[in-house]
Amino acid sequence: MHFPLNEQFKLLNLNEKKSIVVSFSGLYFLAIIPPPPVYERVHELKLNFARKYHTSHALNSPPHITVIPPFKIPSDSLAGLESFLKRNIVFFQPEEVVLDGFGSFPPHVIYINPQISPLFIVVRNQLLSRFYESFPQPRQDTRPFLPHMTVAFKDITPDMFSKAWPVLSLMGFSASFRVVELVLLKYESGKWIVLQHFPFNLT
């Protein structure tokens, strides 16, 4: 499965009383992206929802399930990130993901509900813990892992949510796909683009 490859912070050094500029390469996250034809089905659903309920933020990223939430790293750490992911992705096993109906985080998120094995979740949590040890972040996500494939979020108003959720909650959506890799995405020009694929060890 392949998809097209389509700041600086000033930190005050209190000891030296001067600013040190650290260059960051951008914003990233790690995800599961479904293969065709599931990808196309979910994308079409997002498009139809955006047209009907006047939301578009979810269209800024491909259909996905977030594994490591958005983070920033220094530009000179990209090679280290790649090495880290290659070393740690091998702990994942191929996974059959079932998409079954819809869920929500009222009043701003509606998503497709994925069923993922407990073993995958354990390995994911271990990966996230090692990631934060290797690449400390100003804000670390310590919430329980709740897999979801977003249909609408952020720009859906409470009023639109109240209209859309009763409809979608009664709709059926069913699909399944096999996960054999994780995908690194980067935020560029207002959209998330696929940067690199990290396949599981299938031997």
Side-chain angles (χ1 to χ4, degrees), residues 16 21 43 112 178:
E16 297 182 1
V21 177
H43 183 65
I112 299 170
R178 189 167 175 81

Side-chain angles (χ1 to χ4, degrees), residues 76-150:
D76 59 2
S77 294
L78 274 176
L81 175 65
E82 179 182 356
S83 177
F84 169 86
L85 291 175
K86 286 180 177 179
R87 291 195 312 271
N88 285 276
I89 296 301
V90 297
F91 295 108
F92 286 89
Q93 297 296 316
E95 172 85 7
E96 192 73 18
V97 173
V98 175
L99 303 180
D100 184 19
F102 296 90
S104 68
F105 303 132
H108 292 297
V109 180
I110 294 176
Y111 59 86
I112 299 170
N113 185 41
Q115 298 177 0
I116 295 181
S117 72
L119 177 59
F120 185 96
I121 293 174
V122 168
V123 177
R124 178 269 176 188
N125 290 342
Q126 292 171 343
L127 172 67
L128 184 64
S129 178
R130 289 193 294 267
F131 171 78
Y132 284 145
E133 289 174 0
S134 298
F135 303 93
Q137 299 292 303
R139 296 179 61 183
Q140 298 187 3
D141 192 337
T142 58
R143 297 170 297 179
F145 183 46
L146 297 174
H148 57 283
M149 188 173 287
T150 303

Side-chain angles (χ1 to χ4, degrees), residues 49-70:
F49 189 96
R51 295 188 190 107
K52 186 172 182 178
Y53 296 105
H54 311 291
T55 69
S56 61
H57 201 84
L59 295 174
N60 293 337
S61 60
H64 68 275
I65 301 168
T66 299
V67 175
I68 295 181

